[in-house]
Amino acid sequence: MTATIRDIAKAAGVSVATVSKVLNDYTTVSRATREKVLALVAEMQFRPNEAARSLVGRRSMTIGILLTTGLSNPFFVHLLGGIDEALKERGYDLIYLAQLSAHPEYNFVQHCRSRNVEGVLAFGFQLGELDADKLVASGIPTLFIDLNLTGERAGYVSSDNKEAVQGAVRYLHELGHRRIAYVAGLPGSYVGERRLAGYREGMAAAGLIPRPDDIVVGDFTQETGYRAMRQLLALAERPTAVVCGSDKAAIGALQAAREAGVAVPDELSVVGFDDIDEARVVHPPLTTVRQDMPALGRLAVELLDRLIAEPGSPAPSVIVPTTLVVRGTTGAAPMGG
């Protein structure tokens, strides 16, 4: 039986994409890998013209990135670092797919096809966005990050946002806090809604009922965290602990507490979400939910690569656990909790 490109990849211990890169003389493959693949091509009597007649042999080896919210959030920067690393390992090129939705004749799916991408990594979408639904229906292999959409050729990966915030509330309750407030993330976003649900369910599990004023809507930014904390500290019965939907919001909240003369953690405990670099260097260092952002990016590439290489494989729906990292912004509730 004639060897196939998949046989070569399996024998070499590399991806089909890497073998295709070698056969097409790409320079992004290491010398050692190239020599190993070419030796197996000769040994297994693989005929390159077979690849030319196959779909794999005509692959563009290009992945499109669709990021709808820009790179101001450190989460996306770390995520892209993991994505870039994993794509290079598999021999893919990367292009950024700009959304031109302001143009009256713009069609995002046609745009993806015109760039000849083999698959799309999409993040930053909000729930119910039309372009996301069209992308699922298009059949283009797509992996959503932090948006639970699936289809025949589309899947998603996300951190366990709900359980993470539930755990943060549980931890604060164990410290004796009873008035626990929440600075919510962007309304309509998947992670924002999941984290808010985690707060509500965490409070219910602790036998606590949040007051309407205990939840302040934000958008994950430092500015809204600052404004939210000022609003919470102005309450007649202010909270003794605040969970924030992002580290940026938590850092803004710490600034507001400092300006108001409220001691953290003696009078007020604060928990963030993400574990960005700043979380370690603020004063006090921030207690936060850590999600491994580079690992999430690498996993997204792995899942997308599988969708591309195995058209009949089930669409992935992967939820990744998080870790609560306790630092200096949380402590026992003050007297009267």
Side-chain angles (χ1 to χ4, degrees), residues 198-259:
Y199 167 74
R200 292 188 185 281
E201 292 183 22
M203 292 290 280
L208 303 175
I209 301 175
R211 302 162 300 179
D213 290 341
D214 286 338
I215 300 173
V216 184
V217 176
D219 60 3
F220 297 123
T221 64
Q222 188 167 330
E223 292 76 14
T224 57
Y226 176 83
R227 290 197 296 268
M229 182 59 84
R230 285 176 60 91
Q231 185 174 326
L232 290 168
L233 293 178
L235 295 174
E237 189 179 9
R238 69 189 191 194
T240 64
V242 178
V243 180
C244 297
S246 72
D247 283 349
K248 279 293 188 182
I251 290 168
L254 289 174
Q255 179 186 351
R258 185 167 53 250
E259 291 179 2

Side-chain angles (χ1 to χ4, degrees), residues 1-9 11 16 18-24 36-58:
M1 182 180 293
T2 303
T4 67
I5 196 169
R6 294 188 187 282
D7 296 330
I8 301 295
V16 170
T18 298
V19 176
S20 182
K21 282 279 190 179
V22 172
L23 294 174
N24 288 284
K36 184 177 183 179
V37 168
L38 291 176
L40 286 166
V41 165
E43 177 186 332
M44 300 173 71
Q45 299 181 336
F46 175 77
R47 298 196 301 272
N49 62 316
E50 292 293 328
R53 289 197 297 269
S54 72
L55 175 63
V56 173
R58 297 190 299 272

Side-chain angles (χ1 to χ4, degrees), residues 27-227:
T27 60
T28 53
V29 183
S30 71
R31 180 178 176 180
T33 299
R34 179 181 300 276
E35 290 176 353
K36 184 177 183 179
V37 168
L38 291 176
L40 286 166
V41 165
E43 177 186 332
M44 300 173 71
Q45 299 181 336
F46 175 77
R47 298 196 301 272
N49 62 316
E50 292 293 328
R53 289 197 297 269
S54 72
L55 175 63
V56 173
R58 297 190 299 272
R59 293 181 62 179
S60 69
M61 299 306 300
T62 302
I63 297 298
I65 286 279
L66 175 62
L67 173 61
T68 62
T69 59
L71 288 172
S72 59
N73 191 325
F75 168 81
F76 294 128
V77 176
H78 290 294
L79 185 72
L80 282 169
I83 288 171
D84 182 64
E85 176 184 312
L87 288 175
K88 286 177 180 175
E89 290 173 356
R90 288 166 172 77
Y92 283 105
D93 292 323
L94 176 66
I95 64 170
Y96 176 76
L97 297 166
Q99 268 198 313
L100 308 174
S101 51
H103 194 284
E105 298 179 0
Y106 176 77
N107 183 304
F108 176 67
V109 171
Q110 289 180 7
H111 182 48
C112 290
R113 296 194 191 282
S114 71
R115 299 305 299 269
N116 197 27
V117 297
E118 294 203 44
V120 175
L121 289 167
F123 43 104
F125 279 107
Q126 293 197 47
L127 294 167
E129 278 198 54
L130 188 58
D131 278 347
D133 294 333
K134 288 180 177 178
L135 194 52
V136 171
S138 72
I140 297 172
T142 302
L143 200 289
F144 292 95
I145 300 172
D146 283 342
L147 181 62
N148 61 335
L149 286 181
T150 58
E152 187 176 344
R153 302 296 305 282
Y156 74 94
V157 62
S158 179
S159 293
D160 196 343
N161 292 281
K162 186 169 78 167
E163 168 55 33
V165 177
Q166 281 181 294
V169 172
R170 184 166 54 247
Y171 163 69
L172 291 168
H173 183 256
E174 290 170 354
L175 289 176
H177 294 278
R178 300 296 179 264
R179 297 194 301 276
I180 305 170
Y182 184 64
V183 178
L186 193 65
S189 69
Y190 173 72
V191 295
E193 297 298 331
R194 295 295 289 173
R195 291 175 193 177
L196 178 57
Y199 167 74
R200 292 188 185 281
E201 292 183 22
M203 292 290 280
L208 303 175
I209 301 175
R211 302 162 300 179
D213 290 341
D214 286 338
I215 300 173
V216 184
V217 176
D219 60 3
F220 297 123
T221 64
Q222 188 167 330
E223 292 76 14
T224 57
Y226 176 83
R227 290 197 296 268

